[in-house]
Amino acid sequence: MTFKELILQGIPSELPEKRVYPEGINRAPKRKDILSKEEKQLAIRNALRYFPAEWHQELATEFAQELNDFGRIYMYRFKPNYDIYARDIKEYPAESLQAASIMLMIQNNLDPAVAQHPEELITYGGNGAVFQNWAQYLLTMQYLATMSDEQTLHMYSGHPMGLFPSSKESPRVIVTNGMMIPNYSSPDDWEKFNALGVTQYGQMTAGSYMYIGPQGIVHGTTITVMNAFRKILQKGDTPKGKIFLTAGLGGMSGAQPKAGNIASCITIAAEVNPKAATKRHEQGWVDILIDNMDELVSRVREAQSKEEVVSIAFIGNVVDIWERFYEEEIFIHVGSDQTSLHIPWTGGYYPADISYEESNRLIREEPEVFKEEVQKTLRRHAAAINKHTERGTYFFDYGNAFLLESSRAGAEVMAENGIDFKYPSYVQDILGPMCFDYGFGPFRWVCTSGKPEDLDATDEIAASVLQEIMENSPEEIQLQMQDNITWIKDAKKNKMVVGSQARILYADAEGRAKIAEAFNNAIAEGKIGPVVLGRDHHDVSGTDSPYRETSNIYDGSKFTADMAIHNVIGDSFRGATWVSIHNGGGVGWGEVMNGGFGMLLDGSPEADARLKKMLFYDVNNGIARRSWARNKEALFAIKREMKRTPNLKVTVPNLVEDSLLEDLF
């Protein structure tokens, strides 16, 4: 059968042969054995409902074995034999071009060059899933191939509930992931209900089909690292020869060494999983692999003496580096951590002094011992950081729940008031006031032709648009504009493409809309093929996360999730091709609500109208909320926007003098 025929058949008419798991691949961690006997039976019953009754006896035994071996039922037998990657949009069987663009993005998320654990349908973050199992993938692709522009596919945590009549103006797909009753959002609830096959963790851009590899976060990481050095360096000094120490080289965290190179510093990223570190090295995202501490110390001293711009992956635990560098009196200028501490007990963070293999055994067989060792390491980790910060190191939390889990482990990370953390989140110190409050965030696009020359053309278009906007931009955002122009002009040189021909660029509402309009015009003129627009959920409006995206909200509302919910609803009727809303994301299940969108530009007048309405709201919803929280940068941005857009009317706060409040209670 051809690729198109295999897509159109969905669940095969004949039972495929059982597959053998390939050796030497980067497998997802084995999940907790958390279900009772009765619940395991229910998990099998739930899995078998995808298949005809005559297959049930054989599959029941097989699925039970998967559940015992992996803690999940992945239905590996049903993984298709064709290669999974982002093809030219014309190669997909589809009645709707919009649906074909979603098929392309799904396959990009599951491309082995892009995905962290592709066999288990996990894109990044250790558990950021596109689907729970391969049956869901097959059915979803079949639905997308056969749907019209007057139908909408509704996705319940990876399960395609079905096609429902809608309209041409409606989204083609609505995605929810992990939508739980609030009292059922603990980490063990995810383990249980995911094992039952009724929910999943979509992370951010994994379960919304908008992941584009480490590039997806590399721009924000670059902005963060550049401005972290700007905070500590004297005027005229540069990051050359200065150290940025961090951890994590898996999915999103793989962006760190590339960002360090762009920021012109020495980056050291520790990674306990040799396969993850090697993959990033082979892809050119990190310059050097080292697995020996003495060699690392020697190489770092050499890099410092020569003021090199270099990135080093250390295969080992970052705690050992913090401790050894303190002994060696190697000064760390900037420090952070980007391990997957949103899932600390299932492979997101590994204990020191225990091998990677032994740790994985403990996760499955002795989870309480593993938890104790992780918390012991977190206390060591924080203690070592505290020593370095006393010497002048600038440390920030990278929104991965490092400080949150360290505090829960009893580490010394709390401020004197016992409420706040002693170190800021990078959003509090950098991205919030410098970017999000002004409306700047991670806009991204994918050239559906798969042609590098189309990506080159979009880079040139975006740079030209930004240059024109900058000429009339106020002083308050000149630095942001210049950083973004420099970024896009150097984007190709920095070789960031993995998988689809995609790009990311921090831009505000004006920049996004004008760039998108220019793309749509180029498509209409036949200069480039169709383009998918999207963004990271880690943005101005899409995510309510008290320890990351909304950590610089100080009016008490950072624990609410109205903004993210309004964003996904608002985008859905303003022209998005698909929308998504997730429980979870980079800081953990139950800790954040985040939403995203995708939009196909096809060169039509309808696409032009949609992009102007939707992109405007997608950004300004968040600026309005941030201005109501009394963030001065957001107040500036929303007042400026209301002057430019008479149809926009936003409630702005009246500011209160502190002295009025001092003697009230």
Side-chain angles (χ1 to χ4, degrees):
M1 296 176 74
T2 65
F3 169 71
K4 290 184 177 181
E5 290 170 338
L6 289 167
I7 292 288
L8 288 165
Q9 79 168 343
I11 302 291
S13 56
E14 295 183 7
L15 183 63
E17 292 293 321
K18 186 176 179 180
R19 296 175 67 108
V20 176
Y21 278 88
E23 295 292 328
I25 60 168
N26 191 18
R27 300 298 305 276
K30 294 181 179 180
R31 308 301 182 183
K32 274 187 180 181
D33 184 9
I34 200 169
L35 301 182
S36 67
K37 177 181 177 181
E38 291 74 18
E39 288 168 336
K40 288 180 178 179
Q41 291 172 339
L42 178 58
I44 302 299
R45 187 184 300 275
N46 288 344
L48 290 175
R49 58 186 161 178
Y50 287 101
F51 307 104
E54 57 267 28
W55 296 356
H56 284 185
Q57 184 170 0
E58 183 173 350
L59 292 180
T61 303
E62 184 176 318
F63 291 168
Q65 189 64 51
E66 281 194 11
L67 190 59
N68 286 330
D69 289 346
F70 308 121
R72 297 293 185 271
I73 301 171
Y74 296 117
M75 305 181 187
Y76 187 64
R77 177 194 290 254
F78 292 92
K79 181 186 177 185
N81 289 321
Y82 54 74
D83 292 335
I84 296 179
Y85 64 95
R87 292 164 165 79
D88 183 333
I89 195 169
K90 297 173 186 174
E91 295 184 32
Y92 292 93
E95 303 296 321
S96 161
L97 189 67
Q98 292 184 55
S101 73
I102 301 169
M103 297 165 78
L104 182 156
M105 296 303 297
I106 287 173
Q107 290 208 313
N108 187 63
N109 267 30
L110 294 173
D111 181 345
V114 175
Q116 185 181 18
H117 305 302
E119 307 299 325
E120 293 85 8
L121 304 117
I122 290 169
T123 302
Y124 70 95
N127 61 351
V130 186
F131 301 100
Q132 297 177 59
N133 57 60
W134 286 103
Q136 292 177 345
Y137 166 84
L138 294 175
L139 279 174
T140 299
M141 295 295 279
Q142 182 187 44
Y143 276 132
L144 290 168
T146 56
M147 71 186 295
S148 74
D149 280 336
E150 294 188 349
Q151 290 175 302
T152 296
L153 175 60
H154 289 259
M155 300 294 300
Y156 282 40
S157 284
H159 170 68
M161 190 57 70
L163 294 174
F164 291 79
S166 58
S167 68
K168 290 182 178 179
E169 292 73 33
S170 303
R172 298 282 67 82
V173 177
I174 305 288
V175 179
T176 59
N177 282 298
M179 292 293 104
M180 304 298 293
I181 304 301
N183 283 350
Y184 298 88
S185 270
S186 74
D188 274 354
D189 287 323
W190 170 69
E191 293 282 357
K192 175 180 177 180
F193 292 108
N194 190 213
L196 284 173
V198 296
T199 195
Q200 74 173 8
Y201 197 102
Q203 267 282 348
M204 289 184 150
T205 51
S208 62
Y209 323 142
M210 191 46 70
Y211 187 69
I212 58 171
Q215 181 189 180
I217 199 172
V218 73
H219 192 186
T221 308
T222 301
I223 289 172
T224 301
V225 175
M226 283 170 53
N227 284 291
F229 279 107
R230 283 171 179 163
K231 289 178 74 70
I232 63 170
L233 297 180
Q234 299 296 318
K235 189 173 182 179
D237 199 1
T238 73
K240 286 187 176 181
K242 297 173 180 64
I243 293 173
F244 167 45
L245 174 60
T246 185
L249 285 172
M252 287 298 200
S253 60
Q256 295 179 108
K258 177 72 77 173
N261 282 0
I262 297 169
S264 300
C265 63
I266 300 166
T267 305
I268 306 160
E271 172 57 61
V272 297
N273 182 349
K275 287 188 174 70
T278 301
K279 181 177 181 179
R280 289 291 171 248
H281 183 249
E282 289 173 349
Q283 291 177 335
W285 285 77
V286 65
D287 300 324
I288 299 170
L289 280 175
I290 293 176
D291 61 4
N292 178 278
M293 183 62 74
D294 291 337
E295 183 183 349
L296 177 67
V297 169
S298 175
R299 186 64 183 85
V300 168
R301 290 195 192 282
E302 178 188 352
Q304 284 188 303
S305 67
K306 295 179 179 178
E307 291 196 341
E308 282 186 79
V309 174
V310 65
S311 55
I312 302 169
F314 177 73
I315 301 174
N317 200 295
V318 73
V319 177
D320 296 326
I321 303 178
W322 282 103
E323 293 176 341
R324 179 67 179 273
F325 278 25
Y326 186 80
E327 294 171 6
E328 298 282 345
E329 297 189 353
I330 296 175
F331 183 68
I332 298 166
H333 298 79
V334 174
S336 193
D337 185 273
Q338 211 175 62
T339 53
S340 295
L341 264 162
H342 64 283
I343 47 167
W345 324 128
T346 54
Y349 180 93
Y350 281 78
D353 301 330
I354 299 176
S355 72
Y356 180 64
E357 293 74 20
E358 174 63 9
S359 293
N360 285 331
R361 185 193 69 78
L362 290 175
I363 290 171
R364 177 71 174 170
E365 298 176 14
E366 299 181 67
E368 290 306 314
V369 173
F370 182 78
K371 181 176 180 179
E372 288 176 12
E373 292 296 330
V374 164
Q375 292 192 318
K376 185 191 301 182
T377 298
L378 282 169
R379 292 191 291 271
R380 272 179 62 185
H381 196 161
I385 289 167
N386 290 340
K387 288 182 178 180
H388 281 272
T389 57
E390 288 172 3
R391 288 180 172 173
T393 296
Y394 172 60
F395 182 85
F396 60 88
D397 184 283
Y398 223 143
N400 64 331
F402 173 75
L403 291 179
L404 181 64
E405 288 302 334
S406 293
S407 69
R408 290 169 175 170
E412 294 183 15
V413 294
M414 303 305 296
E416 289 184 9
N417 63 14
I419 299 170
D420 301 314
F421 296 128
K422 68 191 297 183
Y423 301 112
S425 153
Y426 72 117
V427 174
Q428 287 175 294
D429 252 20
I430 298 169
L431 280 192
M434 287 196 64
C435 294
F436 293 166
D437 286 355
Y438 284 120
F440 287 88
F443 181 53
R444 57 179 63 170
W445 62 87
V446 176
C447 297
T448 66
S449 68
K451 297 177 180 177
E453 54 266 36
D454 276 13
L455 185 60
D456 292 345
T458 60
D459 285 347
E460 291 176 11
I461 290 169
S464 175
V465 169
L466 290 186
Q467 195 70 55
E468 186 176 325
I469 293 173
M470 185 178 175
E471 291 174 5
N472 297 306
S473 292
E475 182 181 349
E476 286 84 350
I477 61 171
Q478 285 285 309
L479 178 63
Q480 291 89 329
M481 292 297 300
Q482 187 55 62
D483 281 350
N484 296 328
I485 290 168
T486 301
W487 164 267
I488 196 65
K489 286 183 175 179
D490 290 345
K492 183 177 181 179
K493 178 179 72 176
N494 289 321
K495 298 178 181 178
M496 294 176 293
V497 171
V498 177
S500 60
Q501 293 295 316
R503 186 68 74 223
I504 189 164
L505 170 68
Y506 266 55
D508 62 4
E510 180 185 13
R512 298 182 204 200
K514 288 183 175 178
I515 290 169
E517 183 180 15
F519 287 173
N520 201 53
N521 290 338
I523 296 163
E525 294 166 6
K527 295 178 180 177
I528 58 174
V531 172
V532 169
L533 302 181
R535 58 163 169 74
D536 194 355
H537 297 202
H538 175 62
D539 196 13
V540 181
S541 308
T543 296
D544 284 296
S545 177
Y547 299 110
R548 197 162 78 178
E549 283 78 5
T550 44
S551 61
N552 70 320
I553 300 292
Y554 302 109
D555 68 349
S557 70
K558 69 179 181 179
F559 296 99
T560 66
D562 299 82
M563 180 177 71
I565 300 301
H566 274 273
N567 224 70
V568 73
I569 294 171
D571 285 358
S572 71
F573 64 78
R574 287 182 172 89
T577 304
W578 73 96
V579 291
S580 62
I581 188 77
H582 304 175
N583 168 18
V587 296
W589 183 264
E591 303 284 358
V592 54
M593 194 68 66
N594 66 89
F597 77 87
M599 173 181 277
L600 178 69
L601 300 181
D602 59 6
S604 67
E606 292 80 7
D608 187 71
R610 287 194 296 265
L611 73 88
K612 290 172 182 174
K613 288 186 294 184
M614 202 222 75
L615 294 176
F616 180 88
Y617 174 77
D618 187 67
V619 174
N620 281 291
N621 170 49
I623 299 176
R625 183 269 178 96
R626 292 168 184 277
S627 71
W628 184 240
R630 297 183 289 269
N631 292 16
K632 67 176 184 178
E633 294 86 0
L635 270 168
F636 167 84
I638 204 67
K639 288 177 180 178
R640 178 174 177 246
E641 193 57 71
M642 283 193 284
K643 287 180 181 177
R644 293 191 298 185
T645 310
N647 207 25
L648 175 67
K649 307 290 182 184
V650 170
T651 309
V652 294
N654 293 295
L655 304 182
V656 179
E657 289 290 337
D658 291 346
S659 59
L660 285 175
L661 311 175
E662 290 173 358
D663 299 322
L664 290 178
F665 303 101

